[in-house]
Amino acid sequence: MLHPVILSGGSGTRLWPLSRQNQPKQFLSLIGDHSLFQETVLRASKLPDAQAPITVCADDHRFMVGEQLQAIGVRSGGILLEPVARSTAPAIAAAALHALVGDPDALLLVLPADHLIEDEAAFRDAVSAALRLGREDWLVAFGIRPDYAETGYGYILRGDGLGADGYRIERFVEKPDQATAERYLAEGTYAWNSGMFLFRARSYLDELARLAPAIHAAAQAAFASAGTDLDFLRLGHDAFAASPSDSIDYAVMEKTDRAAVVPVSCGWSDIGSWSSLWSVAERDADGNRHEGDVISVDTRDSLVRASDRRMIATLGVEDLVIVDTADATLVARKDRVQDVKIIVDRLKAAGRQEHLFHRKVYRPWGSYDSIGVGERFQVKKIVVKPGAALSLQKHQHRAEHWIVVSGVAEVTCDDKVFELRENESTYIPRGSVHRLRNRGSEPVELIEVQSGGYLGEDDIVRLEDVYGRS
C-alpha cells in the first residue's frame, strides 16, 4: 500500500516575518484557505489506495500538526516527533520503520510539507509512474522539468531510460551559477530536485544500512526506544541525537545504483522566498499581489501583505516586498528576499524573540496575544478552547489579574475552585498554585494583567499538565 510521509521539519526563515520558528511556513495559509501542510496532506489523500499520512515533525509543532489534520478531517497514520533535527535521511528511516509495523510491503511517498503543486492531475500521473518503478525496487526521485534557469535549486541529470516511466539517475548536481543553469535548461536532460521521493520502505532501509550504517542504526534504536505521548510517537532522544545529520540525497540517492527519476511538470514551487510566492500568486494588471487592507498608487510588480491591524499604502514603487505583522514589518527589494535569513540571524544574535514567536502565540489549549508591555507589567488577551485547560502552575516572580470578557472560566487558585463569568475578575498572587479551565462549549476570552519584576514565559513551574509538557 502507498503510505504518504509528510516531512514537516522546516523553519521557513526566508519567509520571515510571517514564518517563525513557533509557526513556520508549512502551517500558514499563504495561498488559499488551507495551509501548505494541509494542502500536501489533502493532495496525497486523493491518490489511489493512499493510506493515512505519517507525519514527522518537531516536538514544538506536534499539536499544530494534530489540529490541522483534524480541521481537514484527515485521520493520522502516525505523528513521529524528532527530538532533535537530523535532516531527512534519519527522519525518513523512522517513518519507514513505522510503516513496516502494519505493512511489510509498504511503499512510501515522501513529501515535504511546505511545497505548492498546482497541477494535481500531472502529479498523480507522475506518482503512478513512480509506483511502477518503486514496485521494482527503484528508489525514485521526482524531477521537475525546468521552465527557466533557476540557480536556487539542485538539479538531477537523467541517464538511460527505464521504459516509459522514468530514467536512471546519472548524477545529482549542486545549485549552479547562472551560466550553468542556462546550459542545463538548454540541454533538456536536467530537472530540478523537488525533494519528493517514492520507494519501498524496505528498499530504502536496506540501502541506508549499506550506504549509511550509522544513520540506519541510530534510526532503528530511536524507533525501538520510542514512547507514546497522547497521539504522538516520541522517538528515543539519545539514539536519534546520535545519528549523523544527513539528507536522503547525500546519504542514499547519490550513492545507490537503484536511483531513478520521474520527470514531471506540475506547477511545483517550494515557496522558498517572498519572490517565489509572488511568482506563483494571482496578480493584478500591474503585476501586484495585494493581501489585506492595501492601497497602491503607481505601484508595480510588488507583493504587499497587510496585517489585520492596519492599512498599508504604497506610492510610486516597484519590485518591492512589504510584509506587515503585529510586531514586525519587512520592506525589501524583490531581488534581495533570499537574504531575509540574514535578518533572522541578527535577531538570534541579539537575543530577540521576533524570529521565534508572533505576538499572538498558539498553544494546545488556545492562544495568547501580548497586547501591551511596559516596565514591570504585561497585558495579554487569552483565548481558551472549549474543553481545554492550562497547566496547573505557579509563578515565582509575578502576580496576575484575570478579567473574563466572554464565556465561563473555571479558576483554581490554591485550595479554591470557582467560576468567573463575563465582566468578573480575580487576582492570582505570586507563588499561588493556579489553573484556568474551560468546561463550556464556547471559547473563554479574558484579559490577563501580569505585574512583577520578571515576566518571561520561563517563569512557569508546571505541576500538572494534560498535554505532557514539562
Side-chain angles (χ1 to χ4, degrees):
M1 294 182 182
L2 183 64
H3 299 261
V5 174
I6 315 299
L7 301 180
S8 186
S11 58
T13 55
R14 285 178 294 178
L15 286 181
W16 185 89
L18 199 61
S19 177
R20 309 208 183 176
Q21 183 172 313
N22 183 253
Q23 192 178 12
K25 69 172 181 174
Q26 60 264 34
F27 300 116
L28 302 174
S29 301
L30 297 175
I31 295 179
D33 296 329
H34 293 127
S35 71
L36 294 174
F37 170 78
Q38 289 173 318
E39 289 286 1
T40 301
V41 170
L42 289 170
R43 186 163 53 247
S45 68
K46 296 174 187 175
L47 296 169
D49 299 322
Q51 305 303 296
I54 300 167
T55 305
V56 185
C57 69
D59 182 80
D60 289 346
H61 302 150
R62 65 194 188 279
F63 293 108
M64 207 169 294
V65 167
E67 288 176 2
Q68 291 209 353
L69 287 172
Q70 187 178 41
I72 57 175
V74 173
R75 179 177 61 86
S76 173
I79 300 174
L80 279 57
L81 306 182
E82 295 178 288
V84 291
R86 285 295 180 265
S87 197
T88 55
I92 295 169
L97 291 165
H98 181 73
L100 287 171
V101 171
D103 182 1
D105 296 317
L107 284 147
L108 305 185
L109 174 62
V110 178
L111 302 170
D114 55 359
H115 291 185
L116 174 71
I117 291 177
E118 296 179 300
D119 188 344
E120 292 196 16
F123 172 71
R124 286 194 298 271
D125 290 343
V127 172
S128 295
L131 273 169
R132 289 189 287 271
L133 293 172
R135 291 190 177 109
E136 297 175 2
D137 288 326
W138 290 97
L139 278 65
V140 184
F142 293 84
I144 307 301
R145 292 189 180 97
D147 47 16
Y148 60 92
E150 172 62 57
T151 60
Y153 300 145
Y155 283 69
I156 297 172
L157 173 62
R158 71 179 188 232
D160 296 335
L162 296 172
D165 293 322
Y167 303 84
R168 287 180 179 269
I169 291 179
E170 183 70 24
R171 63 188 176 96
F172 288 80
V173 292
E174 297 293 336
K175 298 175 183 177
D177 57 27
Q178 187 63 39
T180 304
E182 290 173 359
R183 177 169 62 83
Y184 290 168
L185 182 64
E187 290 182 6
T189 54
Y190 288 84
W192 294 334
N193 183 4
S194 70
M196 300 186 294
F197 303 92
L198 189 149
F199 36 67
R200 288 189 188 277
R202 180 56 60 197
S203 298
Y204 173 72
L205 290 171
D206 288 346
E207 287 298 88
L208 186 68
R210 183 173 69 87
L211 300 169
I215 296 177
H216 181 268
Q220 278 197 318
F223 187 75
S225 58
T228 56
D229 177 0
L230 300 176
D231 295 328
F232 313 108
L233 184 70
R234 289 185 177 275
L235 298 172
H237 182 282
D238 293 345
F240 199 82
S243 173
S245 181
D246 213 348
S247 70
I248 180 178
D249 294 0
Y250 291 128
V252 175
M253 296 299 292
E254 292 187 2
K255 301 173 184 176
T256 181
D257 58 0
R258 302 295 298 171
V261 59
V262 171
V264 58
S265 296
C266 58
W268 173 89
S269 173
D270 70 346
I271 314 292
S273 67
W274 287 113
S275 59
S276 64
L277 179 62
W278 171 86
S279 69
V280 300
E282 185 177 345
R283 303 185 292 276
D284 64 19
D286 293 319
N288 297 316
R289 169 69 172 184
H290 292 161
E291 298 181 45
D293 191 2
V294 177
I295 297 176
S296 65
V297 179
D298 295 333
T299 299
R300 291 177 178 81
D301 299 327
S302 296
L303 186 153
V304 184
R305 188 176 182 120
S307 70
D308 59 0
R309 300 177 185 277
R310 56 182 154 255
M311 178 264 289
I312 293 179
T314 62
L315 174 63
V317 299
E318 61 183 36
D319 292 320
L320 287 184
V321 168
I322 302 172
V323 181
D324 182 49
T325 67
D327 61 347
T329 303
L330 170 71
V331 181
R333 289 206 322 259
K334 211 157 77 250
D335 62 356
R336 289 295 309 277
V337 291
Q338 291 282 356
D339 296 326
V340 168
K341 58 186 177 181
I342 296 174
I343 296 175
V344 174
D345 290 341
R346 292 195 179 184
L347 291 170
K348 292 178 182 178
R352 300 183 60 138
Q353 300 293 306
E354 288 91 342
H355 68 289
L356 295 173
F357 303 102
H358 282 280
R359 204 184 78 174
K360 185 175 183 179
V361 177
Y362 290 91
R363 293 292 189 234
W365 44 261
S367 65
Y368 68 83
D369 187 353
S370 298
I371 59 180
V373 180
E375 187 175 355
R376 295 182 63 84
F377 79 88
Q378 181 170 209
V379 181
K380 292 182 177 180
K381 178 184 176 182
I382 295 177
V383 179
V384 185
K385 297 183 296 186
L390 282 68
S391 60
L392 186 68
Q393 60 185 255
K394 61 181 179 180
H395 309 299
Q396 296 177 341
H397 302 285
R398 71 176 186 248
E400 296 174 348
H401 297 259
W402 295 348
I403 306 100
V404 173
V405 177
S406 65
V408 180
E410 180 188 276
V411 177
T412 298
C413 185
D414 291 328
D415 57 351
K416 298 178 182 178
V417 179
F418 54 94
E419 289 186 346
L420 285 184
R421 298 178 181 271
E422 184 176 329
N423 293 326
E424 296 180 341
S425 63
T426 192
Y427 171 62
I428 308 295
R430 185 180 65 182
S432 289
V433 174
H434 61 279
R435 189 205 300 270
L436 180 64
R437 185 188 297 274
N438 179 4
R439 294 191 182 276
S441 58
E442 300 294 329
V444 167
E445 297 186 16
L446 69 147
I447 301 299
E448 176 183 270
V449 181
Q450 303 175 356
S451 60
Y454 179 72
L455 305 172
E457 282 300 303
D458 55 351
D459 182 25
I460 298 177
V461 179
R462 288 193 176 96
L463 306 175
E464 180 184 305
D465 184 64
V466 297
Y467 306 107
R469 298 170 298 170
S470 59

